[in-house]
Amino acid sequence: MQGKKIVLGVSGSIAAYKSAMLTRLLVKAGATVKVVMTPAAGDFITPLTLSTLSKNPVLTSFVRDETGQWNNHVDLGLWADALVIAPASANTAAKMAHGICDNLLLAVYLSARCPVFLAPAMDLDMLQHPATQGNLDKLRSYGNIILAPGYGELASGLTGHGRMAEPEEIFDALQKFFQATGRLHGKSVLITAGPTQEALDPVRFISNHSTGKMGFSLAEVFAREGARVNLVSGPTQQRAQHSNINVIPVVSAEEMYQASASLFSESDIAVLAAAVADYRPVEKAEQKIKKTDGNLTLALTKTRDIAASLGKVKRPGQVMAGFALETENEQQNALKKLDAKNFDLIVLNSLNDKGAGFGHDTNKVTILDHKHGVRTFELKDKKDVARDIVNAIIEKLHD
């Protein structure tokens, strides 16, 4: 949805409250949203609410009252990448089907050259009436996309079909539609994320402070670009939102290696963002280790180097990126790791940068490539950092 231009039409329905959440989802994903309301929609949600969420003025009539300027429906119809009418009342759907043009939203609809999505919302008997079904069939024949209403309790108190599709469902439908033209449509991406846990006994383990936020943010951006994403994740509270993301949960470094190795050969891109434990106990105690008066000495052995193992079998055309978290000689150490692991790109984090690294919603990175090119970015939200990284990987994919 990044950079997409969406006209959101809101008609008179109790479901209009859901348009606020849909607006927020679209804006948060990087879309530009312009809202057009029918006169009746203002009885259910205020233009102020939607203008605040969309960060654009809400249009409700052909003429702006305060200036007398014309709201150009033709320009809006040509500007949009998609017109989404949610909720679409029975009245609005009927007017659309028959070319009636008595408000600004309907004029935008008749001017639109972009795909049109409708999310009907009405009582079950209104939805099932032959007139409504005929109107929806006619709209489908025009090429409009109908987002089927859901089943549940309705404003009338009855239970049945007629509930507007949930904002998340509409958002997902738009994402899937735009994926066909995404820059990574048809590509397969492997991502590792989060920490690993190496067990000492049944209740204790060795781990680190990784939250998985960076890896999950990367997965979302790749999925929005149309890729199929396999996300191998250590223990984390993060949750994947996009339907194109397949999460494979693991715990230990060995489990992460086995899952990653099984997926690597089919992946066009691999991004190793996990903070894998470098050592594990030589032996795991079968029972809880009891506290004693003396010191406890643990024998540790190295875990398998996932990046190096995959780098050895990387095939031509694959792009592989890794991460380096450093505290000193940052670029020098990152370049050594890039060469040793056979990475195409490495993303450098420094714990010396405030707001970067584990546990933060922000990050500050430097991206280095195998030609030792260096690109430094400012401190950003991790979702924005993820876009910078994905853009760099896409550039490398087309080198």
Side-chain angles (χ1 to χ4, degrees), residues 71-109:
N71 289 320
N72 193 327
H73 60 278
V74 176
D75 284 349
L76 269 175
L78 297 179
W79 171 83
D81 293 314
L83 169 59
V84 183
I85 301 179
S89 65
N91 184 50
T92 291
K95 290 179 179 181
M96 292 171 66
H98 294 280
I100 297 172
C101 185
D102 62 357
N103 62 48
L104 180 61
L105 176 57
L106 294 168
V108 173
Y109 166 68

PDB file of all heavy atoms in Angstrom, residues 71-109:
ATOM      1  N   ASN A  71     -15.041  21.303  -5.884  1.00  0.00           N
ATOM      2  CA  ASN A  71     -14.362  20.025  -5.649  1.00  0.00           C
ATOM      3  C   ASN A  71     -14.447  19.214  -6.939  1.00  0.00           C
ATOM      4  O   ASN A  71     -15.521  18.726  -7.299  1.00  0.00           O
ATOM      5  CB  ASN A  71     -15.019  19.265  -4.492  1.00  0.00           C
ATOM      6  CG  ASN A  71     -14.734  19.918  -3.160  1.00  0.00           C
ATOM      7  OD1 ASN A  71     -13.630  20.382  -2.903  1.00  0.00           O
ATOM      8  ND2 ASN A  71     -15.746  19.962  -2.290  1.00  0.00           N
ATOM      9  N   ASN A  72     -13.336  19.100  -7.621  1.00  0.00           N
ATOM     10  CA  ASN A  72     -13.318  18.524  -8.966  1.00  0.00           C
ATOM     11  C   ASN A  72     -13.405  17.006  -8.913  1.00  0.00           C
ATOM     12  O   ASN A  72     -12.419  16.317  -8.636  1.00  0.00           O
ATOM     13  CB  ASN A  72     -12.044  18.970  -9.682  1.00  0.00           C
ATOM     14  CG  ASN A  72     -12.093  18.685 -11.174  1.00  0.00           C
ATOM     15  OD1 ASN A  72     -12.686  17.703 -11.604  1.00  0.00           O
ATOM     16  ND2 ASN A  72     -11.468  19.552 -11.962  1.00  0.00           N
ATOM     17  N   HIS A  73     -14.592  16.474  -9.184  1.00  0.00           N
ATOM     18  CA  HIS A  73     -14.793  15.029  -9.139  1.00  0.00           C
ATOM     19  C   HIS A  73     -14.009  14.318 -10.238  1.00  0.00           C
ATOM     20  O   HIS A  73     -13.566  13.174 -10.055  1.00  0.00           O
ATOM     21  CB  HIS A  73     -16.281  14.698  -9.261  1.00  0.00           C
ATOM     22  CG  HIS A  73     -16.909  15.170 -10.526  1.00  0.00           C
ATOM     23  ND1 HIS A  73     -17.351  16.467 -10.705  1.00  0.00           N
ATOM     24  CD2 HIS A  73     -17.162  14.528 -11.694  1.00  0.00           C
ATOM     25  CE1 HIS A  73     -17.850  16.597 -11.913  1.00  0.00           C
ATOM     26  NE2 HIS A  73     -17.752  15.440 -12.542  1.00  0.00           N
ATOM     27  N   VAL A  74     -13.796  14.967 -11.364  1.00  0.00           N
ATOM     28  CA  VAL A  74     -13.044  14.343 -12.458  1.00  0.00           C
ATOM     29  C   VAL A  74     -11.587  14.142 -12.044  1.00  0.00           C
ATOM     30  O   VAL A  74     -11.013  13.058 -12.237  1.00  0.00           O
ATOM     31  CB  VAL A  74     -13.132  15.191 -13.739  1.00  0.00           C
ATOM     32  CG1 VAL A  74     -12.258  14.587 -14.837  1.00  0.00           C
ATOM     33  CG2 VAL A  74     -14.575  15.302 -14.203  1.00  0.00           C
ATOM     34  N   ASP A  75     -10.996  15.178 -11.459  1.00  0.00           N
ATOM     35  CA  ASP A  75      -9.610  15.056 -10.990  1.00  0.00           C
ATOM     36  C   ASP A  75      -9.465  13.950  -9.957  1.00  0.00           C
ATOM     37  O   ASP A  75      -8.500  13.180  -9.982  1.00  0.00           O
ATOM     38  CB  ASP A  75      -9.128  16.381 -10.392  1.00  0.00           C
ATOM     39  CG  ASP A  75      -8.808  17.420 -11.456  1.00  0.00           C
ATOM     40  OD1 ASP A  75      -8.768  17.047 -12.647  1.00  0.00           O
ATOM     41  OD2 ASP A  75      -8.600  18.592 -11.096  1.00  0.00           O
ATOM     42  N   LEU A  76     -10.425  13.862  -9.036  1.00  0.00           N
ATOM     43  CA  LEU A  76     -10.368  12.814  -8.013  1.00  0.00           C
ATOM     44  C   LEU A  76     -10.455  11.422  -8.644  1.00  0.00           C
ATOM     45  O   LEU A  76      -9.717  10.511  -8.274  1.00  0.00           O
ATOM     46  CB  LEU A  76     -11.513  12.978  -7.017  1.00  0.00           C
ATOM     47  CG  LEU A  76     -11.262  13.829  -5.783  1.00  0.00           C
ATOM     48  CD1 LEU A  76     -12.549  13.969  -4.982  1.00  0.00           C
ATOM     49  CD2 LEU A  76     -10.167  13.213  -4.926  1.00  0.00           C
ATOM     50  N   GLY A  77     -11.370  11.280  -9.596  1.00  0.00           N
ATOM     51  CA  GLY A  77     -11.532   9.981 -10.250  1.00  0.00           C
ATOM     52  C   GLY A  77     -10.307   9.556 -11.020  1.00  0.00           C
ATOM     53  O   GLY A  77     -10.001   8.349 -11.106  1.00  0.00           O
ATOM     54  N   LEU A  78      -9.584  10.507 -11.586  1.00  0.00           N
ATOM     55  CA  LEU A  78      -8.364  10.186 -12.339  1.00  0.00           C
ATOM     56  C   LEU A  78      -7.156  10.032 -11.427  1.00  0.00           C
ATOM     57  O   LEU A  78      -6.190   9.336 -11.779  1.00  0.00           O
ATOM     58  CB  LEU A  78      -8.094  11.289 -13.365  1.00  0.00           C
ATOM     59  CG  LEU A  78      -9.153  11.474 -14.453  1.00  0.00           C
ATOM     60  CD1 LEU A  78      -8.767  12.617 -15.379  1.00  0.00           C
ATOM     61  CD2 LEU A  78      -9.363  10.183 -15.236  1.00  0.00           C
ATOM     62  N   TRP A  79      -7.192  10.679 -10.256  1.00  0.00           N
ATOM     63  CA  TRP A  79      -6.067  10.640  -9.312  1.00  0.00           C
ATOM     64  C   TRP A  79      -5.922   9.288  -8.646  1.00  0.00           C
ATOM     65  O   TRP A  79      -4.818   8.810  -8.417  1.00  0.00           O
ATOM     66  CB  TRP A  79      -6.283  11.725  -8.249  1.00  0.00           C
ATOM     67  CG  TRP A  79      -5.330  11.684  -7.087  1.00  0.00           C
ATOM     68  CD1 TRP A  79      -4.074  12.199  -7.026  1.00  0.00           C
ATOM     69  CD2 TRP A  79      -5.581  11.105  -5.801  1.00  0.00           C
ATOM     70  NE1 TRP A  79      -3.524  11.969  -5.786  1.00  0.00           N
ATOM     71  CE2 TRP A  79      -4.433  11.307  -5.004  1.00  0.00           C
ATOM     72  CE3 TRP A  79      -6.684  10.440  -5.233  1.00  0.00           C
ATOM     73  CZ2 TRP A  79      -4.343  10.858  -3.686  1.00  0.00           C
ATOM     74  CZ3 TRP A  79      -6.588   9.993  -3.923  1.00  0.00           C
ATOM     75  CH2 TRP A  79      -5.429  10.212  -3.165  1.00  0.00           C
ATOM     76  N   ALA A  80      -7.029   8.628  -8.358  1.00  0.00           N
ATOM     77  CA  ALA A  80      -7.024   7.462  -7.473  1.00  0.00           C
ATOM     78  C   ALA A  80      -6.443   6.210  -8.140  1.00  0.00           C
ATOM     79  O   ALA A  80      -6.665   5.950  -9.317  1.00  0.00           O
ATOM     80  CB  ALA A  80      -8.436   7.171  -6.993  1.00  0.00           C
ATOM     81  N   ASP A  81      -5.725   5.427  -7.339  1.00  0.00           N
ATOM     82  CA  ASP A  81      -5.341   4.065  -7.737  1.00  0.00           C
ATOM     83  C   ASP A  81      -6.470   3.085  -7.440  1.00  0.00           C
ATOM     84  O   ASP A  81      -6.533   2.007  -8.032  1.00  0.00           O
ATOM     85  CB  ASP A  81      -4.083   3.628  -6.987  1.00  0.00           C
ATOM     86  CG  ASP A  81      -2.852   4.423  -7.389  1.00  0.00           C
ATOM     87  OD1 ASP A  81      -2.646   4.611  -8.602  1.00  0.00           O
ATOM     88  OD2 ASP A  81      -2.099   4.867  -6.503  1.00  0.00           O
ATOM     89  N   ALA A  82      -7.329   3.446  -6.499  1.00  0.00           N
ATOM     90  CA  ALA A  82      -8.506   2.624  -6.186  1.00  0.00           C
ATOM     91  C   ALA A  82      -9.551   3.506  -5.525  1.00  0.00           C
ATOM     92  O   ALA A  82      -9.221   4.421  -4.765  1.00  0.00           O
ATOM     93  CB  ALA A  82      -8.146   1.465  -5.266  1.00  0.00           C
ATOM     94  N   LEU A  83     -10.825   3.239  -5.841  1.00  0.00           N
ATOM     95  CA  LEU A  83     -11.967   3.862  -5.177  1.00  0.00           C
ATOM     96  C   LEU A  83     -12.613   2.782  -4.322  1.00  0.00           C
ATOM     97  O   LEU A  83     -13.010   1.733  -4.835  1.00  0.00           O
ATOM     98  CB  LEU A  83     -12.962   4.407  -6.192  1.00  0.00           C
ATOM     99  CG  LEU A  83     -14.327   4.855  -5.667  1.00  0.00           C
ATOM    100  CD1 LEU A  83     -14.199   5.955  -4.626  1.00  0.00           C
ATOM    101  CD2 LEU A  83     -15.235   5.301  -6.820  1.00  0.00           C
ATOM    102  N   VAL A  84     -12.681   3.040  -3.022  1.00  0.00           N
ATOM    103  CA  VAL A  84     -13.257   2.078  -2.081  1.00  0.00           C
ATOM    104  C   VAL A  84     -14.468   2.723  -1.429  1.00  0.00           C
ATOM    105  O   VAL A  84     -14.344   3.762  -0.772  1.00  0.00           O
ATOM    106  CB  VAL A  84     -12.235   1.683  -0.997  1.00  0.00           C
ATOM    107  CG1 VAL A  84     -12.827   0.622  -0.068  1.00  0.00           C
ATOM    108  CG2 VAL A  84     -10.939   1.185  -1.626  1.00  0.00           C
ATOM    109  N   ILE A  85     -15.630   2.135  -1.626  1.00  0.00           N
ATOM    110  CA  ILE A  85     -16.855   2.667  -1.021  1.00  0.00           C
ATOM    111  C   ILE A  85     -17.236   1.731   0.123  1.00  0.00           C
ATOM    112  O   ILE A  85     -17.669   0.603  -0.086  1.00  0.00           O
ATOM    113  CB  ILE A  85     -17.978   2.804  -2.055  1.00  0.00           C
ATOM    114  CG1 ILE A  85     -17.513   3.735  -3.178  1.00  0.00           C
ATOM    115  CG2 ILE A  85     -19.245   3.337  -1.395  1.00  0.00           C
ATOM    116  CD1 ILE A  85     -18.516   3.932  -4.283  1.00  0.00           C
ATOM    117  N   ALA A  86     -17.020   2.215   1.348  1.00  0.00           N
ATOM    118  CA  ALA A  86     -17.210   1.390   2.531  1.00  0.00           C
ATOM    119  C   ALA A  86     -17.617   2.291   3.700  1.00  0.00           C
ATOM    120  O   ALA A  86     -16.788   3.076   4.158  1.00  0.00           O
ATOM    121  CB  ALA A  86     -15.912   0.645   2.857  1.00  0.00           C
ATOM    122  N   PRO A  87     -18.843   2.217   4.135  1.00  0.00           N
ATOM    123  CA  PRO A  87     -19.876   1.286   3.689  1.00  0.00           C
ATOM    124  C   PRO A  87     -20.575   1.761   2.421  1.00  0.00           C
ATOM    125  O   PRO A  87     -20.673   2.955   2.163  1.00  0.00           O
ATOM    126  CB  PRO A  87     -20.861   1.284   4.865  1.00  0.00           C
ATOM    127  CG  PRO A  87     -20.708   2.651   5.460  1.00  0.00           C
ATOM    128  CD  PRO A  87     -19.255   3.003   5.303  1.00  0.00           C
ATOM    129  N   ALA A  88     -21.074   0.785   1.666  1.00  0.00           N
ATOM    130  CA  ALA A  88     -21.930   1.065   0.508  1.00  0.00           C
ATOM    131  C   ALA A  88     -23.354   0.693   0.908  1.00  0.00           C
ATOM    132  O   ALA A  88     -23.677  -0.489   1.062  1.00  0.00           O
ATOM    133  CB  ALA A  88     -21.474   0.261  -0.711  1.00  0.00           C
ATOM    134  N   SER A  89     -24.185   1.687   1.123  1.00  0.00           N
ATOM    135  CA  SER A  89     -25.573   1.430   1.516  1.00  0.00           C
ATOM    136  C   SER A  89     -26.373   0.902   0.328  1.00  0.00           C
ATOM    137  O   SER A  89     -25.937   0.992  -0.826  1.00  0.00           O
ATOM    138  CB  SER A  89     -26.217   2.713   2.036  1.00  0.00           C
ATOM    139  OG  SER A  89     -26.309   3.667   0.984  1.00  0.00           O
ATOM    140  N   ALA A  90     -27.551   0.373   0.602  1.00  0.00           N
ATOM    141  CA  ALA A  90     -28.424  -0.105  -0.473  1.00  0.00           C
ATOM    142  C   ALA A  90     -28.760   1.039  -1.421  1.00  0.00           C
ATOM    143  O   ALA A  90     -28.822   0.858  -2.649  1.00  0.00           O
ATOM    144  CB  ALA A  90     -29.696  -0.705   0.121  1.00  0.00           C
ATOM    145  N   ASN A  91     -28.982   2.229  -0.879  1.00  0.00           N
ATOM    146  CA  ASN A  91     -29.315   3.400  -1.683  1.00  0.00           C
ATOM    147  C   ASN A  91     -28.165   3.777  -2.607  1.00  0.00           C
ATOM    148  O   ASN A  91     -28.360   4.001  -3.814  1.00  0.00           O
ATOM    149  CB  ASN A  91     -29.662   4.564  -0.752  1.00  0.00           C
ATOM    150  CG  ASN A  91     -30.115   5.797  -1.511  1.00  0.00           C
ATOM    151  OD1 ASN A  91     -30.984   5.716  -2.368  1.00  0.00           O
ATOM    152  ND2 ASN A  91     -29.521   6.942  -1.197  1.00  0.00           N
ATOM    153  N   THR A  92     -26.946   3.840  -2.060  1.00  0.00           N
ATOM    154  CA  THR A  92     -25.789   4.219  -2.879  1.00  0.00           C
ATOM    155  C   THR A  92     -25.508   3.166  -3.946  1.00  0.00           C
ATOM    156  O   THR A  92     -25.222   3.499  -5.101  1.00  0.00           O
ATOM    157  CB  THR A  92     -24.558   4.426  -1.976  1.00  0.00           C
ATOM    158  OG1 THR A  92     -24.771   5.604  -1.188  1.00  0.00           O
ATOM    159  CG2 THR A  92     -23.293   4.598  -2.790  1.00  0.00           C
ATOM    160  N   ALA A  93     -25.602   1.884  -3.582  1.00  0.00           N
ATOM    161  CA  ALA A  93     -25.363   0.823  -4.562  1.00  0.00           C
ATOM    162  C   ALA A  93     -26.379   0.895  -5.699  1.00  0.00           C
ATOM    163  O   ALA A  93     -26.046   0.698  -6.880  1.00  0.00           O
ATOM    164  CB  ALA A  93     -25.418  -0.542  -3.881  1.00  0.00           C
ATOM    165  N   ALA A  94     -27.645   1.193  -5.368  1.00  0.00           N
ATOM    166  CA  ALA A  94     -28.697   1.298  -6.397  1.00  0.00           C
ATOM    167  C   ALA A  94     -28.406   2.459  -7.343  1.00  0.00           C
ATOM    168  O   ALA A  94     -28.553   2.336  -8.571  1.00  0.00           O
ATOM    169  CB  ALA A  94     -30.051   1.476  -5.733  1.00  0.00           C
ATOM    170  N   LYS A  95     -28.004   3.601  -6.796  1.00  0.00           N
ATOM    171  CA  LYS A  95     -27.683   4.749  -7.643  1.00  0.00           C
ATOM    172  C   LYS A  95     -26.481   4.454  -8.532  1.00  0.00           C
ATOM    173  O   LYS A  95     -26.465   4.832  -9.723  1.00  0.00           O
ATOM    174  CB  LYS A  95     -27.408   5.969  -6.764  1.00  0.00           C
ATOM    175  CG  LYS A  95     -28.646   6.515  -6.060  1.00  0.00           C
ATOM    176  CD  LYS A  95     -28.278   7.718  -5.183  1.00  0.00           C
ATOM    177  CE  LYS A  95     -29.506   8.289  -4.499  1.00  0.00           C
ATOM    178  NZ  LYS A  95     -29.154   9.468  -3.657  1.00  0.00           N
ATOM    179  N   MET A  96     -25.468   3.797  -7.996  1.00  0.00           N
ATOM    180  CA  MET A  96     -24.290   3.445  -8.805  1.00  0.00           C
ATOM    181  C   MET A  96     -24.679   2.529  -9.955  1.00  0.00           C
ATOM    182  O   MET A  96     -24.212   2.687 -11.088  1.00  0.00           O
ATOM    183  CB  MET A  96     -23.237   2.772  -7.921  1.00  0.00           C
ATOM    184  CG  MET A  96     -22.599   3.683  -6.878  1.00  0.00           C
ATOM    185  SD  MET A  96     -21.568   2.778  -5.697  1.00  0.00           S
ATOM    186  CE  MET A  96     -20.256   2.200  -6.761  1.00  0.00           C
ATOM    187  N   ALA A  97     -25.527   1.567  -9.656  1.00  0.00           N
ATOM    188  CA  ALA A  97     -25.914   0.594 -10.678  1.00  0.00           C
ATOM    189  C   ALA A  97     -26.665   1.253 -11.827  1.00  0.00           C
ATOM    190  O   ALA A  97     -26.588   0.795 -12.977  1.00  0.00           O
ATOM    191  CB  ALA A  97     -26.760  -0.509 -10.052  1.00  0.00           C
ATOM    192  N   HIS A  98     -27.383   2.348 -11.549  1.00  0.00           N
ATOM    193  CA  HIS A  98     -28.236   2.972 -12.561  1.00  0.00           C
ATOM    194  C   HIS A  98     -27.709   4.321 -13.032  1.00  0.00           C
ATOM    195  O   HIS A  98     -28.414   5.049 -13.741  1.00  0.00           O
ATOM    196  CB  HIS A  98     -29.661   3.094 -12.026  1.00  0.00           C
ATOM    197  CG  HIS A  98     -30.303   1.750 -11.814  1.00  0.00           C
ATOM    198  ND1 HIS A  98     -30.851   1.017 -12.835  1.00  0.00           N
ATOM    199  CD2 HIS A  98     -30.418   0.988 -10.695  1.00  0.00           C
ATOM    200  CE1 HIS A  98     -31.320  -0.131 -12.362  1.00  0.00           C
ATOM    201  NE2 HIS A  98     -31.068  -0.178 -11.066  1.00  0.00           N
ATOM    202  N   GLY A  99     -26.476   4.660 -12.640  1.00  0.00           N
ATOM    203  CA  GLY A  99     -25.859   5.873 -13.160  1.00  0.00           C
ATOM    204  C   GLY A  99     -26.422   7.160 -12.617  1.00  0.00           C
ATOM    205  O   GLY A  99     -26.259   8.220 -13.230  1.00  0.00           O
ATOM    206  N   ILE A 100     -27.108   7.095 -11.476  1.00  0.00           N
ATOM    207  CA  ILE A 100     -27.639   8.319 -10.860  1.00  0.00           C
ATOM    208  C   ILE A 100     -26.489   9.095 -10.228  1.00  0.00           C
ATOM    209  O   ILE A 100     -25.607   8.517  -9.596  1.00  0.00           O
ATOM    210  CB  ILE A 100     -28.721   7.979  -9.821  1.00  0.00           C
ATOM    211  CG1 ILE A 100     -29.902   7.305 -10.514  1.00  0.00           C
ATOM    212  CG2 ILE A 100     -29.175   9.216  -9.047  1.00  0.00           C
ATOM    213  CD1 ILE A 100     -30.950   6.747  -9.575  1.00  0.00           C
ATOM    214  N   CYS A 101     -26.511  10.405 -10.390  1.00  0.00           N
ATOM    215  CA  CYS A 101     -25.362  11.224  -9.993  1.00  0.00           C
ATOM    216  C   CYS A 101     -25.853  12.465  -9.242  1.00  0.00           C
ATOM    217  O   CYS A 101     -25.810  13.573  -9.758  1.00  0.00           O
ATOM    218  CB  CYS A 101     -24.559  11.614 -11.236  1.00  0.00           C
ATOM    219  SG  CYS A 101     -23.033  12.495 -10.889  1.00  0.00           S
ATOM    220  N   ASP A 102     -26.323  12.250  -8.006  1.00  0.00           N
ATOM    221  CA  ASP A 102     -26.886  13.376  -7.260  1.00  0.00           C
ATOM    222  C   ASP A 102     -26.049  13.784  -6.050  1.00  0.00           C
ATOM    223  O   ASP A 102     -26.513  14.525  -5.192  1.00  0.00           O
ATOM    224  CB  ASP A 102     -28.334  13.076  -6.828  1.00  0.00           C
ATOM    225  CG  ASP A 102     -28.422  11.883  -5.887  1.00  0.00           C
ATOM    226  OD1 ASP A 102     -27.377  11.246  -5.604  1.00  0.00           O
ATOM    227  OD2 ASP A 102     -29.542  11.584  -5.421  1.00  0.00           O
ATOM    228  N   ASN A 103     -24.815  13.285  -5.956  1.00  0.00           N
ATOM    229  CA  ASN A 103     -23.900  13.774  -4.918  1.00  0.00           C
ATOM    230  C   ASN A 103     -22.460  13.602  -5.409  1.00  0.00           C
ATOM    231  O   ASN A 103     -22.206  12.987  -6.462  1.00  0.00           O
ATOM    232  CB  ASN A 103     -24.130  13.085  -3.566  1.00  0.00           C
ATOM    233  CG  ASN A 103     -23.900  11.574  -3.599  1.00  0.00           C
ATOM    234  OD1 ASN A 103     -22.895  11.104  -4.115  1.00  0.00           O
ATOM    235  ND2 ASN A 103     -24.839  10.823  -3.035  1.00  0.00           N
ATOM    236  N   LEU A 104     -21.532  14.160  -4.671  1.00  0.00           N
ATOM    237  CA  LEU A 104     -20.134  14.177  -5.117  1.00  0.00           C
ATOM    238  C   LEU A 104     -19.556  12.772  -5.235  1.00  0.00           C
ATOM    239  O   LEU A 104     -18.828  12.472  -6.192  1.00  0.00           O
ATOM    240  CB  LEU A 104     -19.294  15.012  -4.141  1.00  0.00           C
ATOM    241  CG  LEU A 104     -17.803  15.124  -4.469  1.00  0.00           C
ATOM    242  CD1 LEU A 104     -17.582  15.797  -5.818  1.00  0.00           C
ATOM    243  CD2 LEU A 104     -17.066  15.894  -3.364  1.00  0.00           C
ATOM    244  N   LEU A 105     -19.871  11.898  -4.288  1.00  0.00           N
ATOM    245  CA  LEU A 105     -19.320  10.540  -4.339  1.00  0.00           C
ATOM    246  C   LEU A 105     -19.734   9.819  -5.617  1.00  0.00           C
ATOM    247  O   LEU A 105     -18.918   9.167  -6.272  1.00  0.00           O
ATOM    248  CB  LEU A 105     -19.758   9.745  -3.111  1.00  0.00           C
ATOM    249  CG  LEU A 105     -19.332   8.275  -3.076  1.00  0.00           C
ATOM    250  CD1 LEU A 105     -17.819   8.125  -3.200  1.00  0.00           C
ATOM    251  CD2 LEU A 105     -19.835   7.586  -1.802  1.00  0.00           C
ATOM    252  N   LEU A 106     -20.985   9.944  -5.994  1.00  0.00           N
ATOM    253  CA  LEU A 106     -21.453   9.279  -7.212  1.00  0.00           C
ATOM    254  C   LEU A 106     -20.817   9.885  -8.457  1.00  0.00           C
ATOM    255  O   LEU A 106     -20.532   9.178  -9.430  1.00  0.00           O
ATOM    256  CB  LEU A 106     -22.976   9.362  -7.291  1.00  0.00           C
ATOM    257  CG  LEU A 106     -23.704   8.578  -6.191  1.00  0.00           C
ATOM    258  CD1 LEU A 106     -25.175   8.949  -6.159  1.00  0.00           C
ATOM    259  CD2 LEU A 106     -23.529   7.081  -6.389  1.00  0.00           C
ATOM    260  N   ALA A 107     -20.541  11.178  -8.424  1.00  0.00           N
ATOM    261  CA  ALA A 107     -19.855  11.812  -9.551  1.00  0.00           C
ATOM    262  C   ALA A 107     -18.420  11.319  -9.663  1.00  0.00           C
ATOM    263  O   ALA A 107     -17.912  11.096 -10.767  1.00  0.00           O
ATOM    264  CB  ALA A 107     -19.877  13.335  -9.382  1.00  0.00           C
ATOM    265  N   VAL A 108     -17.767  11.130  -8.510  1.00  0.00           N
ATOM    266  CA  VAL A 108     -16.406  10.568  -8.527  1.00  0.00           C
ATOM    267  C   VAL A 108     -16.438   9.153  -9.087  1.00  0.00           C
ATOM    268  O   VAL A 108     -15.591   8.760  -9.904  1.00  0.00           O
ATOM    269  CB  VAL A 108     -15.795  10.577  -7.109  1.00  0.00           C
ATOM    270  CG1 VAL A 108     -14.458   9.828  -7.086  1.00  0.00           C
ATOM    271  CG2 VAL A 108     -15.597  12.009  -6.622  1.00  0.00           C
ATOM    272  N   TYR A 109     -17.435   8.371  -8.665  1.00  0.00           N
ATOM    273  CA  TYR A 109     -17.562   6.997  -9.162  1.00  0.00           C
ATOM    274  C   TYR A 109     -17.699   6.964 -10.685  1.00  0.00           C
ATOM    275  O   TYR A 109     -17.035   6.175 -11.374  1.00  0.00           O
ATOM    276  CB  TYR A 109     -18.756   6.313  -8.508  1.00  0.00           C
ATOM    277  CG  TYR A 109     -19.165   5.027  -9.189  1.00  0.00           C
ATOM    278  CD1 TYR A 109     -18.335   3.907  -9.158  1.00  0.00           C
ATOM    279  CD2 TYR A 109     -20.368   4.943  -9.897  1.00  0.00           C
ATOM    280  CE1 TYR A 109     -18.702   2.731  -9.803  1.00  0.00           C
ATOM    281  CE2 TYR A 109     -20.738   3.777 -10.535  1.00  0.00           C
ATOM    282  CZ  TYR A 109     -19.899   2.667 -10.493  1.00  0.00           C
ATOM    283  OH  TYR A 109     -20.257   1.511 -11.135  1.00  0.00           O
TER     284      TYR A 109
END
